[in-house]
Amino acid sequence: MVEMPPEEILTEREGTTYPSFEKYTYYSRTAERDTPVNVLLPADYSEDKKYPVLYILHGYYDNEDWMTRDIVHISTMLTNLVADGEAHEMIVVCPYIYCSKDMPYCTGMDTQNTLNYDNFINDMMTDLMPFIEENFSVAEGRENTAITGFSMGGRESLFIGVSNPEKFGYIGAVCAAPGLTEGTGYPWMLKEDQLTFGENKPELLLLSAAEHDGVVGTNPATYKDIFARNGEVYLWHLMSRTGHDHSSVTPHLYNYFRMIFQ
């Protein structure tokens, strides 16, 4: 791992085609409404090939467009890494993770809104993943499926990953929001001994945090410590020059892109 990606990986190269995220909608039975999702396909995407899939989850108050911004560099960074032989071609999915039948968007940082984010686990498994698999040329199986997220999205990627370890071979989180487990905040969804993968160990568990995170601090270290007590193997990346924003997301993804689907 490196703390920060090299600048040339974040810069578009002459003669290279960089794909753009395209927005789709799927019907969420969990939220009982049409729900937006952004999908990035490889520049030379072909229905004759099968591609692994990476799901990237946004944070509190944000939406499916947050990760697709140029400042996060997903398309440029991933395309350059693939061209350099440092990453596999993949489909990248950036969904809207606020999931409620009664509330279409986040109204505050409180118990009900947090529960609505946690409810995305149902939408993910019941509606989003089937939509992606039905509409794109997807290589199925946990060895071809990865998930990661930022802030509340990091909490949800861990929640989804440990709850469905048979589905996800690669799991990550950056600046993950606290409170997923009992004793670390409220509302909690898991007891400490449930923060484990059982027999379905992931090929990679990458936990990234910012030393100077003014929102969640180094709370992600709590997850690291619980995973350690539960006997799980992980990589821990503590960044010294970033904060609770895209500045941490980009280096986390740079490392993650190069490790998944290997």
Side-chain angles (χ1 to χ4, degrees), residues 17-241:
T17 300
Y18 295 90
S20 299
F21 279 94
E22 297 292 337
K23 186 164 293 190
Y24 300 84
T25 58
Y26 65 96
Y27 185 76
S28 169
R29 288 170 289 174
T30 307
E32 296 183 349
R33 63 172 174 270
D34 289 337
T35 302
V37 58
N38 283 306
V39 178
L40 181 73
L41 302 176
D44 62 349
Y45 174 81
S46 170
E47 291 289 340
D48 295 329
K49 296 173 63 176
K50 298 289 186 180
Y51 300 89
V53 181
L54 166 61
Y55 296 88
I56 308 179
L57 313 185
H58 64 77
Y60 229 101
Y61 291 115
D62 294 315
N63 60 28
E64 73 282 358
D65 296 329
W66 195 92
M67 290 289 177
T68 70
R69 298 173 301 155
D70 290 343
I71 199 170
V72 184
H73 299 288
I74 288 179
S75 178
T76 302
M77 181 165 53
L78 180 56
T79 301
N80 288 342
L81 286 172
V82 170
D84 293 345
E86 292 193 64
H88 283 278
E89 286 189 314
M90 66 188 77
I91 297 171
V92 178
V93 179
C94 296
Y96 179 56
I97 72 168
Y98 189 83
C99 191
S100 168
K101 294 179 181 179
D102 303 315
M103 302 168 65
Y105 53 84
C106 181
T107 59
M109 196 170 289
D110 54 32
T111 297
Q112 185 57 60
N113 280 282
T114 298
L115 289 172
N116 292 343
Y117 282 111
D118 288 340
N119 191 36
F120 178 69
I121 188 173
N122 298 304
D123 181 75
M124 177 89 182
M125 308 310 299
T126 303
D127 303 303
L128 176 59
M129 290 184 72
F131 171 81
I132 296 299
E133 292 166 1
E134 290 168 8
N135 289 276
F136 302 96
S137 189
V138 169
E140 298 183 14
R142 71 191 301 269
E143 69 275 13
N144 294 304
T145 312
I147 189 169
T148 192
F150 165 66
S151 193
M152 180 55 71
R155 167 177 167 143
E156 301 314 325
S157 66
L158 295 178
F159 184 28
I160 291 168
V162 300
S163 300
N164 303 275
E166 76 286 355
K167 297 287 188 181
F168 299 91
Y170 306 87
I171 299 165
V174 53
C175 303
L180 179 58
T181 56
E182 184 179 17
T184 60
Y186 185 81
W188 55 271
M189 302 302 293
L190 303 170
K191 293 185 177 180
E192 183 173 309
D193 62 4
Q194 292 177 302
L195 199 68
T196 181
F197 303 100
E199 296 180 355
N200 292 298
K201 306 298 184 187
E203 297 294 329
L204 171 67
L205 173 59
L206 176 60
L207 305 174
S208 300
E211 187 175 353
H212 303 293
D213 188 327
V215 178
V216 302
T218 54
N219 274 314
T222 301
Y223 294 125
K224 172 179 74 74
D225 295 341
I226 296 174
F227 277 123
R229 288 196 291 272
N230 289 339
E232 299 295 347
V233 176
Y234 56 84
L235 291 178
W236 171 245
H237 183 206
L238 184 61
M239 296 169 280
S240 63
R241 293 180 286 165

